């Protein structure tokens, strides 16, 4: 009996991980050629997003901020690496285990890819190609790691080893002679696999980065508004360093959505279907929308998951068609009380019908701050509704509006622990000084923004060290739908100080001091910061 010289477990694990990397690289390349959404890792990540409970999602947003998606993809990759290592260890004893493991791996990827909204059969190809490439890489590496023994004198035809190369033809393997582990050949093979995986992944990512829709977006020329917004009154922006500008530039506008892959919606094929409890279901194309009377409006958007003092709020000048005009054309039945709007990627918002019809500038928006909507912010068409949190109103990449009832339908976040209705809560934020800032003794400016969309902000008060409340001066606003800048001069004295702010809206409601969490319907409490003065 010859000595067992099978590859050690670490060699199996390495083989599995490299084969897994090759599989993902090839899948990424395939996805780059076909559709970014067909990359199984992202599809699995999307799945995880949809299946994970709301508190976990909030935790991720809170902890990782705008990096939450990278962290999620990283987590999926770590799990995959562990599984791949296990497959390699098993395959080292029996190659069939490796094939079975890779097939199972592929099946999960396929299930995720094919169940994503808008998936087509072709989306299976990158995953299938990846599994085949992974299986080839696995068996190739295993053969390299455990090449056949040199033929012994008893095994028949002695074969001359070709000079100057380490190639050992498989035919030389004597039956019954156990394979010997060849560390060097495994490591060089693994290095080759890593290079192949990296190159295919890089190429795939570059291909996917050439966004088809970006080109379509650049070609859009926004028609002039039939109802332009009046020029901003002078004094909307106090121009204080560190204070949020009145208009948030598109590049700085916060982004919150469940999409790992931003939906790429071609305006030439986009349509909006309006159906359900209506007299005349309609379907609108992008060109139809551009031909309608367009309204321009300054509206501040806020996220329900914004903590007190948090960053998920922004203000833009939107251009769009009034949702009410479209609904009236379709003829909303009296029993309807909810609009269930759906995005291309399957996300939904539930919006009260009466809010949309009460005369406010609730828009199917196509423009943001003078340009076509950025792809990240919903190109070609999204909803914007002043006075409601984004999760119940601001559907990006919107393609379908079902007129329905709250007691019949539920939107995306409702079964995940958020309120079915989400009117904005009056809030205020201190932008300067920054929390924990070191200040010099003497006159300094405290400034920030406050918002109570569609009601308007009437007063902002600030107090230092729980002293008397002082009225901040307020910037001008074009109307009740935007945030409002405020500022107050303060003579800072040496020591540690606490600064608090509270706003009162035009309905006379002053923000409550009581702190409540963001779920289920928005945080309350006063933004409070500490500063150090020397
Ligand atoms: N398709 C889609 N639309 C969406 C969301 C989403 O996850 N998917 N999130 C909503 C939420 S919670 C908010 S706060 C706003 C954020 O819009 P923004 O990313 O343009 O700032 O979009 C809304 N529209
Ligand atoms: Mo949100």
């Amino acid at each position: 009996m010859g000595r067992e010289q099978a590859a050690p477990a670490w060699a199996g694990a390495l083989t599995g991980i490299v084969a897994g990397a090759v599989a993902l690289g090839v899948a990424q390349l395939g996805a780059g050629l076909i559709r970014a959404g067909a990359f199984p890792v992202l599809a699995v990540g999307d799945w995880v997003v949809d299946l994970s409970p709301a508190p976990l999602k909030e935790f991720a947003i809170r902890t990782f901020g705008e990096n939450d998606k990278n962290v999620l993809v990283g987590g999926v990759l770590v799990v995959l690496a562990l599984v791949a290592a296990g497959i390699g260890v098993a395959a080292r004893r029996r190659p069939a285990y490796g094939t079975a493991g890779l097939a199972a791996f592929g099946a999960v990827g396929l299930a995720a890819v094919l169940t994503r909204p808008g998936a087509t059969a072709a989306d299976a190809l990158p995953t299938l190609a990846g599994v085949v490439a992974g299986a080839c890489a696995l068996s190739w590496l295993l053969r390299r790691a455990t090449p056949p023994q040199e033929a012994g004198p008893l095994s028949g035809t002695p074969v001359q080893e070709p000079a100057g190369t380490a190639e050992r033809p498989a035919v030389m393997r004597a039956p019954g002679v156990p394979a010997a582990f060849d560390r060097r050949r495994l490591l060089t093979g693994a290095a080759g696999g890593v290079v192949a995986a990296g190159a295919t992944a890089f190429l795939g990512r570059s291909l996917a980065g050439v966004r088809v829709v970006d080109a379509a977006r650049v070609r859009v020329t926004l028609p002039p508004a039939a109802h332009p917004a009046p020029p901003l009154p002078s004094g909307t922006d106090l121009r204080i360093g560190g204070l949020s500008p009145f208009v948030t530039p598109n590049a700085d506008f916060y982004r919150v959505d469940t999409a790992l892959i931003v939906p790429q919606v071609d305006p030439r094929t986009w349509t909006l279907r309006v159906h359900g409890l209506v007299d005349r279901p309609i379907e609108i194309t992008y060109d139809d929308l551009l031909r309608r009377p367009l309204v321009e409006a300054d509206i501040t958007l806020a996220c329900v998951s914004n903590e007190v003092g948090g960053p998920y709020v922004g203000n833009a000048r939107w251009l769009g068609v009034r949702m009410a005009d479209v609904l009236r054309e379709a003829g909303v039945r009296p029993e309807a009380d909810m609009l269930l709007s759906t995005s291309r990627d399957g996300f939904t918002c539930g919006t009260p019908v009466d809010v949309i019809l009460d005369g406010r500038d609730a828009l199917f928006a196509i423009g943001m701050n003078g340009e076509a909507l950025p792809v990240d912010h919903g190109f070609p068409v999204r909803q914007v509704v002043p006075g409601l949190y984004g999760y119940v109103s601001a559907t990006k990449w919107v393609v379908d509006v079902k007129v329905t009832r709250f007691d019949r339908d539920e939107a995306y976040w409702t079964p995940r622990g958020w309120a079915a209705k989400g009117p904005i809560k009056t809030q205020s934020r201190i932008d300067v000084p920054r929390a924990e800032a070191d200040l010099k003794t003497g006159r300094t400016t405290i400034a920030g923004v406050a918002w109570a969309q569609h009601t308007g902000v009437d007063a902002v008060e600030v107090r230092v060290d729980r002293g008397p409340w002082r009225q901040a001066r307020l910037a001008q606003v074009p109307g009740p739908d935007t945030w409002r800048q405020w500022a107050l001069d303060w003579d800072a004295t040496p020591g540690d100080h606490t600064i608090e702010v509270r706003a009162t809206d035009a309905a006379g409601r002053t923000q409550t001091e009581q702190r409540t969490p963001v779920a289920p319907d928005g945080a309350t409490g006063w933004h409070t910061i500490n500063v150090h003065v020397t």
Side-chain angles (χ1 to χ4, degrees):
M1 230 341 237
R3 193 156 53 92
E4 259 302 304
Q5 282 178 304
W10 70 261
L14 176 67
T15 302
I17 289 175
V18 172
V22 169
L24 293 186
V26 168
Q28 175 107 66
L29 178 57
L33 290 167
I34 292 181
R35 200 170 69 85
F39 184 46
V41 175
L42 290 181
V44 169
D46 263 337
W47 232 12
V48 174
V49 172
D50 284 355
L51 297 180
S52 54
L56 184 63
K57 263 180 270 205
E58 279 157 53
F59 167 80
I61 292 176
R62 253 200 327 275
T63 315
F64 307 118
E66 307 218 329
N67 257 328
D68 56 345
K69 297 181 175 74
N70 296 335
V71 171
L72 170 66
V73 170
V76 171
L77 288 176
V78 167
V79 171
L80 285 179
L82 292 174
V83 174
I87 291 175
V89 170
R92 168 183 67 115
R93 291 283 173 196
R94 245 180 206 240
Y97 289 159
T99 317
L102 275 168
F105 209 154
V108 173
L110 274 185
V113 164
L114 293 176
T115 53
R116 291 292 84 201
T120 63
D123 291 343
L125 292 175
T127 306
L128 292 175
V131 168
V132 170
C136 292
L138 186 69
S139 75
W140 179 71
L141 284 170
L142 284 174
R143 271 184 281 119
R144 267 185 90 83
T146 52
Q149 295 278 49
E150 235 91 343
L154 298 178
S155 65
T157 343
V159 178
Q160 210 50 46
E161 180 151 329
T165 113
E167 275 307 311
R168 291 172 170 111
V171 288
M172 282 174 59
R173 170 116 189 221
V177 176
F181 172 53
D182 187 332
R183 182 161 162 271
R184 197 179 62 83
R185 280 173 56 86
L186 169 66
L187 292 180
T188 51
V194 168
V195 169
T200 45
F202 177 78
L203 195 61
R205 284 191 77 111
S206 324
L207 286 171
V210 183
R211 290 167 152 190
V212 200
V213 166
D214 279 345
R217 178 176 174 268
V218 172
R219 282 195 300 273
V220 170
T221 314
L222 295 176
H227 307 282
L232 290 179
S234 68
T236 43
D237 205 312
L238 301 174
R239 297 178 194 287
I240 293 169
L243 170 60
S244 305
F246 178 75
V247 178
T248 313
N250 289 355
D252 299 342
F253 209 93
Y254 80 94
R255 176 183 162 206
V256 169
D257 55 56
T258 59
L260 284 180
I261 309 142
V262 176
Q264 306 287 307
V265 184
D266 189 334
R268 283 164 305 191
T269 54
W270 177 89
T271 62
L272 178 71
R273 213 161 71 88
V274 181
H275 61 108
L277 299 173
V278 294
D279 298 329
R280 300 165 291 277
I282 49 180
E283 189 159 357
I284 304 171
T285 67
Y286 192 63
D287 284 336
D288 292 340
L289 210 60
L290 297 194
R291 277 195 293 269
R292 286 164 182 260
L294 295 173
V295 174
E296 203 180 40
D298 297 299
I299 300 167
T300 295
L301 205 65
C303 182
V304 70
S305 55
N306 196 37
E307 301 282 348
V308 172
Y312 301 135
V313 54
N315 181 55
R317 176 162 285 192
W318 307 91
L319 177 72
V321 168
R322 274 175 173 255
M323 292 173 68
D325 291 348
V326 174
L327 289 181
R328 293 221 171 79
E329 205 174 296
V332 174
R333 300 248 179 88
E335 68 269 32
D337 64 3
M338 179 215 222
L339 299 183
L340 186 73
S341 51
T342 306
S343 69
R344 168 59 65 81
D345 63 339
F347 172 85
T348 52
C349 282
T351 315
V353 169
D354 56 353
V355 167
I356 302 302
L357 297 182
D358 75 359
R360 72 184 77 192
D361 291 321
L363 303 177
F364 289 119
I366 55 170
M368 181 178 185
N369 290 330
E371 339 172 345
L373 279 182
V375 177
D376 285 355
H377 294 289
F379 180 78
V381 183
R382 76 171 306 167
Q383 295 182 179
V384 178
V385 181
L388 302 183
Y389 285 121
Y391 82 108
V392 290
S393 67
T395 315
K396 304 192 271 190
W397 316 288
V398 63
V399 293
D400 187 285
V401 172
K402 178 184 177 192
V403 181
T404 177
R405 296 179 49 85
F406 278 97
D407 58 16
R408 281 185 208 166
D409 275 299
E410 249 185 351
Y412 184 87
W413 285 110
T414 310
R416 293 169 168 86
W418 297 82
K421 298 192 182 173
I424 295 257
K425 293 181 178 171
T426 301
Q427 262 299 342
S428 50
R429 183 178 76 192
I430 303 167
D431 286 348
V432 271
R434 295 247 152 246
E436 308 303 331
D438 289 309
L439 304 177
K440 292 267 161 288
T441 302
R443 169 102 4 143
T444 187
T445 302
I446 304 171
V449 284
W451 59 92
Q453 290 92 310
H454 208 57
T455 307
V457 171
D458 259 13
V460 172
E461 296 162 289
V462 175
R463 70 177 185 182
V464 178
D465 299 331
R466 307 201 148 246
W469 287 103
R470 292 176 56 201
Q471 295 287 338
R473 62 179 187 276
L474 297 176
Q476 297 297 309
V477 275
D481 292 343
T482 69
W483 62 12
R484 188 163 198 175
Q485 292 187 348
W486 57 265
L488 180 75
D489 291 328
W490 173 48
D491 292 313
T493 53
D496 289 333
H497 298 287
T498 301
I499 307 173
E500 293 169 290
V501 65
R502 69 178 189 193
T504 299
D505 64 29
R509 289 178 299 238
T510 299
Q511 275 180 256
T512 168
E513 177 175 17
Q514 199 191 338
R515 290 204 155 239
T516 56
V518 292
D521 61 358
T524 63
W526 298 332
H527 189 207
T528 304
I529 64 165
N530 297 312
V531 295
H532 185 69
V533 182
T534 48

